[in-house]
């Protein structure tokens, strides 16, 4: 689908996705891959064992089931290879470990997923890697000013977690590459159906498959997809760390991918509908949704992304934590929970006090909403009850 028509259907990539990663002819016509469980894989003779000259050698190193999922993701991302890891957070930590060494400097967007920051500020710091955070609003020029001779990794996430700041991904990557740094991007929000980072110069595209690919809130998994020059180091590190995923989990994510295009289309339209309605409410100071023309990063989103998923935030019009609590406690359909990308709607108050540079909204508490697959009109009534509860606290504080 063309980048200039964000609301057009997602046929081309979804058709590819439906048939990616598995060849029924190789599996007696079965349209889905088999679940191969196993640590041990036998060799026919000593010479084959010595040379490891066969496609599968040991469960950790790959099975046909894991390969089906890896290939499907490669097809969507346009990558040379994909590794699977047991969580989205591991899909952040493994590539950082693969490409950073003691004495290196890492520059990350200041609105990265919180646990990404914790990994950088604890494990990487202990290993002698310094991480600095960059306000995404400073753009590629801001990045250029902060690059050092030892900056080895530039870590991007767009839109940013909780506050959804957008960046010009290609411009950031070209600055990073001018100085010889590796670029990584957490692409979980958009999925490769709405954004393909490698086409914009990103070297490693990261996903929490836990979210939309799994889609049913019953699985944790992550993936890292690399362009040709980076897959070997990435896979060698994965194997050195002894990390892979179970075939049963991989099968579930593979199955989830088949319905991801229709689920995402529903998440997208319900979220946009509710975001527009929320903009009209006096209890809401601002809606942070990249596909709203009123949003600061709208033009960047429209130029680069071909759709929007179902996660966005609202900034309440004052009232502090009591208003946030009143809003959350009044909800009956929205659950209070952390993960997202599943079938069910969720809400939480975003904690933004770990930001070093990026401005957190000042008007009031930030509530992150994951719009699930329930009837949007029911969700609207639920949010209305939340806003009315917040309003009683907001007016008491005026
Ligand atoms: C943007 C982003 N990246 C990565 C993750 C981590 O995923 P997981 O929960 O599978 O570790 C999350 C989880 O919320 C996330 O929001």
């Amino acid at each position: 689908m063309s980048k200039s028509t964000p609301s057009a259907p997602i046929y081309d990539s979804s058709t590819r996705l439906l048939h990616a990663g598995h060849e029924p002819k190789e599996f007696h016509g079965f349209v889905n891959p088999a679940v191969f469980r196993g640590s041990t894989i036998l060799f026919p003779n000593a010479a084959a064992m010595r040379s490891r000259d066969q496609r599968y050698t040991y469960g950790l190193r790959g099975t046909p089931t894991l390969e089906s999922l890896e290939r499907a993701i490669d097809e969507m991302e346009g990558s040379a290879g994909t590794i699977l890891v047991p969580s989205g957070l591991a899909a952040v930590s493994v590539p950082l470990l693969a490409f950073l060494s003691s004495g290196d400097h890492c520059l990350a967007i200041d609105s990265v997923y919180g646990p990404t920051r914790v990994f950088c500020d604890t494990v990487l710091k202990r290993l002698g890697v310094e991480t600095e955070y960059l306000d995404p609003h400073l753009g590629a020029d801001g990045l250029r000013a902060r690059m050092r001779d030892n900056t080895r990794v530039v870590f991007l996430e767009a839109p940013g977690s909780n506050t959804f700041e957008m960046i010009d991904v290609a411009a950031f990557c070209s600055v990073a590459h001018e100085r010889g740094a590796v670029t990584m991007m957490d692409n979980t929000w958009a999925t490769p159906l709405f954004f393909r980072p490698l086409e914009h110069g990103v070297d490693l595209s990261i996903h929490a498959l836990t979210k939309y690919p799994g889609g049913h809130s019953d699985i944790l998994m992550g993936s890292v997809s690399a362009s040709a020059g980076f897959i070997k180091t990435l896979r060698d590190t994965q194997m050195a760390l002894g990390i892979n995923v179970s075939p049963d989990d991989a099968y579930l994510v593979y199955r989830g991918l088949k319905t991801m295009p229709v689920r995402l289309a529903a998440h997208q339209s319900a979220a946009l509908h509710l975001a527009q309605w929320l903009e009209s409410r006096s209890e809401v100071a601002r809606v942070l949704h990249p596909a709203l023309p009123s949003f600061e990063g709208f033009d960047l989103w429209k130029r680069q992304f071909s759709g929007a998923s179902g996660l966005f935030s609202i900034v309440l019009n004052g009232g502090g934590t009591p208003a946030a609590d009143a809003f959350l406690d009044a909800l009956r359909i929205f659950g209070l929970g952390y993960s997202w990308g599943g079938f069910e709607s969720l809400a939480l108050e975003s904690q933004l006090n770990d930001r070093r540079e990026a401005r957190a909204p000042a008007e009031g508490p930030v509530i992150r909403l994951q719009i699930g697959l329930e009837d949007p009109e029911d969700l609207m009534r639920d949010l209305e009850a939340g806003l009315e509860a917040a309003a009683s606290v907001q007016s008491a504080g005026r």
Side-chain angles (χ1 to χ4, degrees):
M1 148 183 172
S2 135
K3 291 200 169 57
S4 58
T5 55
S7 56
I10 45 184
Y11 292 137
D12 57 354
S13 40
S14 62
T15 304
R16 279 209 311 276
L17 172 56
L18 265 284
H19 299 280
H22 173 69
E23 179 44 72
K25 281 197 242 81
E26 290 172 18
F27 290 93
H28 311 284
F30 285 85
V31 295
N32 281 305
V35 176
F36 285 83
R37 295 192 190 86
S39 51
T40 305
I41 297 160
L42 298 179
F43 295 84
N45 52 50
M49 188 176 205
R50 190 168 302 111
S51 62
R52 299 192 174 197
D53 183 21
Q54 64 184 31
R55 184 151 168 205
Y56 303 105
T57 55
Y58 189 71
L60 180 71
R61 307 191 80 85
T63 67
T65 317
L66 305 193
E67 272 184 15
S68 291
L69 178 57
E70 290 167 1
R71 277 199 249 122
I73 298 171
D74 280 335
E75 177 82 22
M76 292 194 300
E77 286 281 340
S79 44
T82 289
I83 65 161
L84 301 173
V85 292
S87 68
L89 183 53
V92 169
S93 61
V94 171
L96 287 172
L97 285 173
F99 290 94
L100 285 164
S101 306
S102 178
D104 285 346
H105 175 239
C106 172
L107 265 172
I109 289 289
D110 200 20
S111 42
V112 280
Y113 171 57
T116 298
R117 182 193 301 272
V118 172
F119 179 76
C120 293
D121 292 349
T122 56
V123 179
L124 288 185
K125 185 172 177 205
R126 186 165 47 75
L127 297 178
V129 174
E130 184 191 354
T131 305
E132 280 192 304
Y133 299 91
L134 179 77
D135 181 348
H137 295 107
L138 297 177
D141 288 339
L143 176 67
R144 184 175 285 108
R146 298 283 286 279
M147 292 292 293
R148 298 188 195 159
D149 290 343
N150 64 339
T151 306
R152 177 80 181 118
V153 165
V154 171
F155 192 99
L156 308 176
E157 183 178 324
S161 272
N162 297 305
T163 38
F164 300 90
E165 294 88 347
M166 291 297 311
I167 54 172
D168 182 335
V169 177
F172 271 67
C173 289
S174 85
V175 169
H177 288 156
E178 276 164 24
R179 302 291 298 268
V182 179
T183 52
M184 308 180 183
M185 177 171 170
D186 186 329
N187 189 33
T188 302
W189 181 84
T191 85
L193 288 177
F194 291 152
F195 188 70
R196 286 162 49 102
L198 271 53
E199 290 176 357
H200 297 255
V202 172
D203 302 314
L204 297 129
S205 173
I206 290 165
H207 285 281
L209 300 174
T210 309
K211 316 300 180 198
Y212 294 111
H216 295 77
S217 306
D218 54 1
I219 200 155
L220 283 153
M221 198 183 291
S223 64
V224 190
S225 300
S227 57
F230 298 88
I231 185 62
K232 183 171 183 321
T233 303
L234 181 68
R235 201 175 279 289
D236 287 352
T237 306
Q238 177 203 19
M239 286 300 117
L241 291 168
I243 292 175
N244 216 324
V245 302
S246 99
D248 298 273
D249 289 352
Y251 179 81
L252 281 179
V253 174
Y254 181 88
R255 186 165 84 154
L257 288 180
K258 304 300 176 193
T259 56
M260 188 168 78
V262 285
R263 285 188 283 106
L264 259 185
H267 287 292
Q268 166 167 245
S269 81
L272 206 47
H273 176 60
L274 291 169
Q276 282 158 349
W277 169 75
L278 284 160
E279 276 198 303
S280 69
R281 299 287 305 207
S282 61
E283 305 89 340
V284 176
R286 255 192 297 157
V287 181
L288 310 178
H289 187 309
L292 285 180
S294 60
F295 186 67
E296 196 182 358
F298 173 75
D299 290 337
L300 283 168
W301 169 79
K302 190 163 184 213
R303 178 155 61 76
Q304 303 173 94
F305 286 52
S306 58
S309 61
L311 191 78
F312 66 95
S313 290
I314 55 175
V315 185
L316 291 180
N317 211 348
T321 301
D325 287 356
F327 176 88
L328 295 172
D329 287 340
L331 300 173
R332 293 291 167 267
I333 300 174
F334 281 78
L336 308 188
Y338 286 111
S339 203
W340 49 277
F343 57 88
E344 81 287 23
S345 291
L346 297 169
L348 54 76
E349 183 188 0
S350 300
Q351 303 302 330
L352 304 173
N353 42 15
D354 58 355
R355 301 265 164 111
R356 308 272 164 81
E357 295 200 350
R359 303 178 296 276
E363 302 95 321
V366 175
I367 307 280
R368 193 189 77 181
L369 299 171
Q370 126 87 7
I371 305 303
L373 300 175
E374 300 93 340
D375 185 322
E377 300 310 312
D378 289 334
L379 295 179
M380 191 181 282
R381 276 190 287 275
D382 208 31
L383 291 172
E384 189 156 40
L387 293 175
E388 280 163 10
S392 54
V393 178
Q394 287 167 337
S395 57
R398 283 198 185 110

